[in-house]
Amino acid sequence: MMSDYKMFFMLLNRINTRRISLVLLAVINFLGASTRSCLGLKINALSATTIVNSARTSTITSTDCRGTKTATSLHMMTAPTFIITPIIKKWQEERKKKDLPLASQEERAGEAPGLRVGAGAWKWPPLWPYDDKFFRPLGDESAPDAGMSTLLNGMAGGSLAPALPPSDKELKKLDVVAYWVEEKKDLPTEIDADSAEAIRRHYSFYLEDGMDILEFGAAEESYLPENFKPNRHVGVGLSPTLMDRNPSITEKKIINLNKVIIDVGIDSEDLENLGSDSFDAIIMANTIDFLTDPKEVFRSAWKLLKPGGIMIVPFMNKDAYVDKFEQAQTKMWRDFKDDQHMWVCGSFFHFSAAEGWDGLNGFDLSSEDSEKKKKEELPLIGGLLDQNKSGNAYVVQARKSVVSESIDENDPEKSFRSLMWILPTMEERDKTLVALRLGRAYALSKSEDKRRKMTENVKLLPKIYESLIAMDQFQFPFNLQSQLAVNVASDPDFIANEEQLQALKMGLGLSRPSKSFWEPVGQLTASMEPEDKVNLLAYIVPRFGSNSHEQEMALEAFVSGLKPTFKVIRSKCPDMSEGDVQLLGSELLAVEILIPGRSNRSEFARWLQAMTKKDLEEYLIKRKSSKEAAMSEMKQMQKERDAAEEKRKEELKRFNEQVEKARKERTVIFNEMTGKMLYVEKKQ
């Protein structure tokens, strides 16, 4: 099965650069003899091409207007002209397939024209795939050319070999504030008129009078529809001079979008003072190419939007204003093509809040006349050469989903997932695993107090994962990490104070274990299965940090009672494995001793002595069977989720096939008698 990483990179590489020599020969074929003469170029296409297999070069001999013969060597295999036309025809067919929008008829209904990538087409890797250097401005001196992680080298056609380590030389970073506030303070963006109008038309489809609008990267032009009347239009950017020229802006905030707090958002009190759930729409035109921490910018946007509010991100071709602002553009923007920009922009939405964004769509707003006409006349060459033409405009947008205010009894997993949309520290993979386990624990719990605490403690998960992240290097499986996080966070006594977090680190071996507790516990339970150790750790950690004398005594009784408890169990069950002895003894001791008020050490000792071999073995069987049942139930839940997703995909596929069949077999005509549109069968 194709991995999410591979699918993501394949989609990013949909538009590949053709070999230049074949493009030149195709141009020659299309031009015709008379046009070639007008250009001062005379080429005998049949005799001029010589294939030199040994050198892997091709030579084109041409004669200019003065009769001078020149030879041009192309370092590749050049195809003879008699096979050029079939090649072009094949490329045309391939291009038609690639030009098909990745959006269904159903998705295009109700959206603005130009929908290119529908919500169901995006594919993402499980983790944020970008290296920090990927978004470094070109103005940073001594910036390494790699600029991306090993995985992402393949996106731009590079090698998958590990990138060279960055130079030890201190980087001289571009002063972004000085760049925009001083150096470029009077320089407008000035995109072409067709693209500006296309953005206005797109905005007009989604923006309504009376809306509260926030604009990131505001300057002299917002491209808002003519006669549009917002209730409020707040401009955010680093160009006060240009914002003063913008007649639509009602308030301006001088804020550096590249000053962020990782996993939190834009670092600005002015932005925080705007409140959360405050705006109907956030627009950010021609700004994404300058963001050095885009995920945090999109995270802030999500917080500022009202539920159901829309964020619209228009951007131009990468060379649209390169002569003016190239130094502030990121390496990602300069290295990637426009179609790739769309997918990368979509990933900013996904990795900032995942399902917190709904209806993620990508649009191609490129001019419908001259550019499309050129592609029709020269479908191959026009398509290849217009990739970086300044007239191309694109949009990626999504709406803020509604956060669950309470846990849905019928689908608690979905509710917990929404509570984790913008939690810091945790990767999307972790959130998915934790939401699944929390949903199951919530459904099985009969205690309203425990359910309430489970919901409240979702916000504490990042503190747990700050420790768990460090366990990745020790091959601590993600499913066990999520199990530990859920078990700890579900405990009513867990409040994530310093003592509890330190106990968690000691129990995981990330800090030096205390000789009085964690060192003997680790040594005495060494034969237990990893999953059983995780359960024991989750039960112990919340008992720390209570500032209760009784709880401190209970912890001491637990650690001192391990050896004698194991000794008694071995004597009663000599055939029991050491791992089972430790599992049984530690759990019995934890349940009875660790919670103050249940049993003291002497009471527990008398109770254990009274138990028979049969009692202990039955308890162990019951313990293991409940574990197996839980694992089976978890697998069944995952199986049902996968089946539901497959069913949804099949239904969508059948719908699209029906729509396509109807489109081919039927057409629509206007009935003048009734004034209605009618379907009629097409003549064969």
Side-chain angles (χ1 to χ4, degrees):
M1 190 172 184
M2 188 177 295
S3 70
D4 291 334
Y5 276 114
K6 187 173 182 181
M7 178 67 75
F8 183 55
F9 300 151
M10 284 179 65
L11 289 169
L12 279 174
N13 281 301
R14 284 179 60 124
I15 304 298
N16 293 317
T17 305
R18 305 295 189 188
R19 294 193 177 191
I20 188 63
S21 56
L22 288 180
V23 173
L24 290 174
L25 284 176
V27 172
I28 293 166
N29 248 19
F30 274 113
L31 289 178
S34 59
T35 308
R36 293 198 296 266
S37 299
C38 293
L39 294 175
L41 180 65
K42 299 177 181 178
I43 300 178
N44 185 330
L46 283 174
S47 62
T49 305
T50 305
I51 302 175
V52 185
N53 289 323
S54 59
R56 301 290 291 174
T57 64
S58 297
T59 304
I60 295 178
T61 304
S62 60
T63 306
D64 62 19
C65 294
R66 294 171 294 184
T68 304
K69 292 186 177 181
T70 58
T72 303
S73 294
L74 303 176
H75 295 273
M76 57 160 293
M77 183 78 81
T78 305
T81 54
F82 60 81
I83 67 167
I84 286 295
T85 301
I87 289 175
I88 292 173
K89 186 176 181 180
K90 183 178 179 181
W91 283 351
Q92 289 172 342
E93 293 172 353
E94 290 177 354
R95 183 168 182 81
K96 285 181 181 178
K97 292 180 182 178
K98 289 185 177 182
D99 278 344
L100 290 175
L102 297 174
S104 66
Q105 294 283 353
E106 184 182 36
E107 288 173 323
R108 290 201 289 272
E111 297 291 349
L115 180 60
R116 183 76 177 172
V117 184
W122 308 93
K123 301 292 181 184
W124 312 115
L127 303 176
W128 175 250
Y130 309 112
D131 188 279
D132 290 342
K133 305 178 188 69
F134 196 50
F135 302 105
R136 180 173 292 167
L138 266 66
D140 282 6
E141 294 184 11
S142 303
D145 288 338
M148 61 185 86
S149 67
T150 300
L151 283 170
L152 286 187
N153 281 333
M155 285 186 184
S159 169
L160 291 178
L164 293 175
S167 171
D168 292 332
K169 181 180 177 181
E170 187 70 24
L171 290 175
K172 182 180 179 182
K173 295 188 176 182
L174 176 71
D175 187 336
V176 175
V177 175
Y179 184 85
W180 293 111
V181 177
E182 299 173 13
E183 185 178 344
K184 304 292 183 180
K185 65 178 181 179
D186 296 318
L187 194 60
T189 304
E190 293 181 338
I191 64 174
D192 66 281
D194 286 345
S195 295
E197 182 57 30
I199 295 174
R200 287 192 185 90
R201 286 197 303 268
H202 188 84
Y203 280 164
S204 68
F205 201 90
Y206 298 99
L207 302 183
E208 299 176 3
D209 289 347
M211 279 185 165
D212 292 325
I213 307 294
L214 177 64
E215 181 174 7
F216 281 170
E220 79 288 349
E221 174 63 81
S222 297
Y223 312 107
L224 293 175
E226 189 177 356
N227 300 321
F228 173 65
K229 296 179 177 61
N231 176 60
R232 182 187 185 195
H233 181 183
V234 180
V236 171
L238 281 176
S239 303
T241 304
L242 295 179
M243 280 194 284
D244 286 339
R245 299 179 193 171
N246 191 325
S248 176
I249 292 177
T250 58
E251 306 168 46
K252 66 178 180 182
K253 306 287 184 182
I254 311 304
I255 295 173
N256 181 5
L257 297 179
N258 286 336
K259 184 184 178 186
V260 304
I261 300 174
I262 299 300
D263 283 336
V264 176
I266 300 168
D267 184 11
S268 168
E269 286 189 14
D270 285 344
L271 206 61
E272 287 184 16
N273 292 337
L274 292 175
S276 58
D277 302 340
S278 301
F279 293 92
D280 299 290
I282 294 178
I283 56 177
M284 187 172 70
N286 303 325
T287 300
I288 192 173
D289 41 331
F290 306 115
L291 299 179
T292 56
D293 288 286
K295 184 169 62 171
E296 314 312 328
V297 174
F298 281 69
R299 189 186 295 268
S300 288
W302 188 90
K303 295 175 185 175
L304 288 159
L305 275 174
K306 297 176 183 178
I310 190 169
M311 183 178 186
I312 307 176
V313 184
F315 55 88
M316 296 296 296
N317 173 276
K318 73 175 185 178
D319 291 328
Y321 37 77
V322 65
D323 56 328
K324 294 183 177 181
F325 308 120
E326 183 179 25
Q327 290 300 296
Q329 288 181 318
T330 61
K331 288 185 64 60
M332 175 278 294
W333 198 259
R334 300 306 307 152
D335 290 346
F336 278 9
K337 302 180 183 71
D338 299 327
D339 279 15
Q340 292 171 319
H341 290 157
M342 185 178 292
W343 286 87
V344 173
C345 181
S347 74
F348 299 159
F349 279 98
H350 173 75
F351 286 104
S352 62
E355 291 96 341
W357 294 108
D358 185 39
L360 178 60
N361 288 321
F363 296 81
D364 182 352
L365 307 186
S366 302
S367 174
E368 293 289 337
D369 41 39
S370 61
E371 296 304 318
K372 299 298 181 184
K373 184 177 179 182
K374 180 187 295 183
K375 288 184 183 180
E376 290 170 3
E377 293 174 352
L378 300 178
L380 170 64
I381 306 307
L384 286 174
L385 300 186
D386 73 348
Q387 268 294 298
N388 293 323
K389 194 169 179 62
S390 61
N392 292 356
Y394 307 88
V395 167
V396 180
Q397 66 186 43
R399 292 187 180 276
K400 179 177 179 176
S401 301
V402 178
V403 181
S404 298
E405 295 183 0
S406 59
I407 303 301
D408 183 355
E409 300 287 335
N410 296 319
D411 194 353
E413 179 191 345
K414 182 178 179 181
S415 299
F416 280 114
R417 191 75 177 87
S418 77
L419 294 176
M420 293 188 285
W421 280 338
I422 60 168
L423 282 184
T425 308
M426 299 173 68
E427 298 285 358
E428 292 308 312
R429 167 206 65 206
D430 303 321
K431 293 175 182 178
T432 300
L433 291 171
V434 167
L436 180 63
R437 290 184 177 277
L438 276 174
R440 177 180 176 277
Y442 188 91
L444 293 176
S445 177
K446 304 301 181 183
S447 168
E448 287 301 320
D449 184 60
K450 188 172 183 179
R451 283 185 165 191
R452 178 185 57 79
K453 193 66 176 179
M454 201 181 298
T455 306
E456 291 175 354
N457 278 4
V458 167
K459 63 180 180 293
L460 302 180
L461 286 168
K463 291 188 176 182
I464 299 173
Y465 266 90
E466 285 176 4
S467 296
L468 293 181
I469 286 173
M471 296 300 295
D472 288 352
Q473 60 184 311
F474 301 112
Q475 297 182 335
F476 188 25
F478 302 130
N479 65 317
L480 288 185
Q481 292 185 26
S482 64
Q483 179 181 325
L484 176 59
V486 169
N487 290 352
V488 169
S490 300
D491 194 296
D493 292 331
F494 183 71
I495 56 176
N497 60 27
E498 287 300 320
E499 287 185 66
Q500 289 176 340
L501 295 176
Q502 184 60 29
L504 178 62
K505 291 177 181 178
M506 287 185 182
L508 291 170
L510 297 174
S511 295
R512 184 182 295 277
S514 59
K515 292 186 177 297
S516 61
F517 188 89
W518 288 109
E519 187 174 297
V521 168
Q523 292 172 349
L524 294 171
T525 59
S527 298
M528 287 172 58
E529 293 291 328
E531 187 173 353
D532 296 327
K533 288 183 179 181
V534 162
N535 289 330
L536 181 61
L537 178 61
Y539 199 76
I540 294 174
V541 167
R543 312 284 83 83
F544 283 83
S546 65
N547 294 321
S548 164
H549 176 69
E550 290 79 8
Q551 183 65 78
E552 295 296 326
M553 294 297 293
L555 286 166
E556 184 180 333
F558 173 81
V559 69
S560 61
L562 285 173
K563 274 187 177 182
T565 298
F566 295 164
K567 184 177 180 181
V568 171
I569 294 174
R570 289 190 197 102
S571 67
K572 292 177 178 289
C573 306
D575 298 330
M576 189 176 290
S577 69
E578 184 60 24
D580 286 345
V581 168
Q582 294 176 9
L583 168 63
L584 183 58
S586 62
E587 287 205 353
L588 289 174
L589 197 60
V591 169
E592 291 298 321
I593 294 294
L594 273 180
I595 305 297
R598 290 186 178 176
S599 302
N600 58 38
R601 184 173 171 180
S602 60
E603 291 171 338
F604 174 77
R606 289 196 298 271
W607 171 75
L608 184 62
Q609 285 289 355
M611 293 189 76
T612 66
K613 176 183 179 181
K614 183 179 179 181
D615 292 334
L616 293 172
E617 288 177 343
E618 285 181 351
Y619 185 94
L620 183 63
I621 291 172
K622 184 178 179 180
R623 166 66 178 78
K624 288 190 171 183
S625 63
S626 63
K627 173 184 173 181
E628 291 170 358
M631 291 180 64
S632 176
E633 186 177 343
M634 184 69 70
K635 289 180 180 178
Q636 182 62 29
M637 288 177 64
Q638 291 175 324
K639 185 178 179 180
E640 291 173 358
R641 278 162 32 106
D642 294 341
E645 178 63 18
E646 285 300 317
K647 183 179 178 181
R648 186 192 69 81
K649 290 180 179 178
E650 284 297 319
E651 289 175 349
L652 181 61
K653 180 181 178 182
R654 284 196 298 270
F655 174 83
N656 290 333
E657 288 173 350
Q658 292 171 0
V659 171
E660 183 63 21
K661 181 180 179 182
R663 186 183 67 80
K664 290 179 178 179
E665 297 178 356
R666 294 188 293 173
T667 188
V668 179
I669 63 171
F670 180 71
N671 188 326
E672 295 182 357
M673 300 293 292
T674 63
K676 297 181 179 179
M677 305 300 291
L678 297 176
Y679 282 109
V680 296
E681 298 298 324
K682 289 183 178 179
K683 293 181 179 181
Q684 299 298 323

